[in-house]
Amino acid sequence: MPDGREVDQAELLDVAKDEDRARSLLRALRTLSTGPDPKLREMARGVLRGDLTAEQAFTDPEYTAALFSGADKVRRAGELRSEAEAREAGERFGDWQQARRTEDEHEDQGTSPSDTTPRTTPGQQPAAPWRHSGPGEVGGPGTLGVSRPTGPSGHH
């Protein structure tokens, strides 16, 4: 943040309820603070700076509308994706989850990940498994093919 102050996980516990969720919320806010949606950037930066609480941000009608609009775009993109794209995204998501777990373990231990593990810094968009450069440039964790029914053999 411009003045150098950023909320910490403890300040997010009122809405997150536990340390793991607070850590995830902090990461999500950092991602939104550099994202393409101006309303979500404004909201995330305000929370990160401490100008408004997470509860205020998540109950504000304009910010809520922007959050739901983004979620709807992700849902529609997932519905339009092919089976092969869904499988590929699922694999990338597994890799991404493992990298997050490794990063969390290092944070919990107070150590730094190895130099080969990519880290994100505030202001840098973290790489996520659903980021792609396909038509519409929309994707998200809800588009990993989870809602697609499986056949008798367990395949999509």
Side-chain angles (χ1 to χ4, degrees):
M1 300 291 65
D3 65 2
R5 182 195 180 315
E6 179 177 279
V7 297
D8 62 17
Q9 287 176 213
E11 294 174 274
L12 299 173
L13 285 172
D14 60 328
V15 294
K17 306 298 183 213
D18 66 48
E19 292 289 330
D20 289 337
R21 289 183 181 143
R23 181 182 304 130
S24 293
L25 178 55
L26 186 57
R27 282 188 181 133
L29 289 167
R30 287 174 178 157
T31 299
L32 290 172
S33 75
T34 61
D37 186 294
K39 190 53 81 174
L40 293 178
R41 271 195 320 267
E42 173 187 304
M43 182 264 312
R45 289 174 181 172
V47 174
L48 289 171
R49 281 191 309 264
D51 295 341
L52 70 157
T53 67
E55 184 174 353
Q56 289 170 324
F58 299 146
T59 56
D60 180 279
E62 288 183 38
Y63 296 146
T64 303
L67 284 167
F68 282 114
S69 173
D72 189 52
K73 289 176 188 173
V74 168
R75 181 191 55 78
R76 281 181 294 179
E79 290 171 352
L80 297 174
R81 156 157 73 200
S82 72
E83 296 296 325
E85 290 171 322
R87 275 191 302 277
E88 180 184 332
E91 291 168 8
R92 286 193 319 266
F93 184 67
D95 293 344
W96 180 82
Q97 280 183 311
Q98 183 57 45
R100 284 285 165 220
R101 279 192 289 273
T102 301
E103 187 174 302
D104 288 346
E105 289 169 7
H106 288 290
E107 286 178 7
D108 291 343
Q109 296 169 1
T111 60
S112 297
S114 71
D115 291 336
T116 60
T117 304
R119 290 282 298 191
T120 57
T121 58
Q124 176 187 0
Q125 188 85 0
W130 51 84
R131 297 187 88 58
H132 62 85
S133 57
E137 302 258 344
V138 177
T143 64
L144 297 175
V146 176
S147 63
R148 296 178 189 260
T150 59
S153 65
H155 294 91
H156 293 283

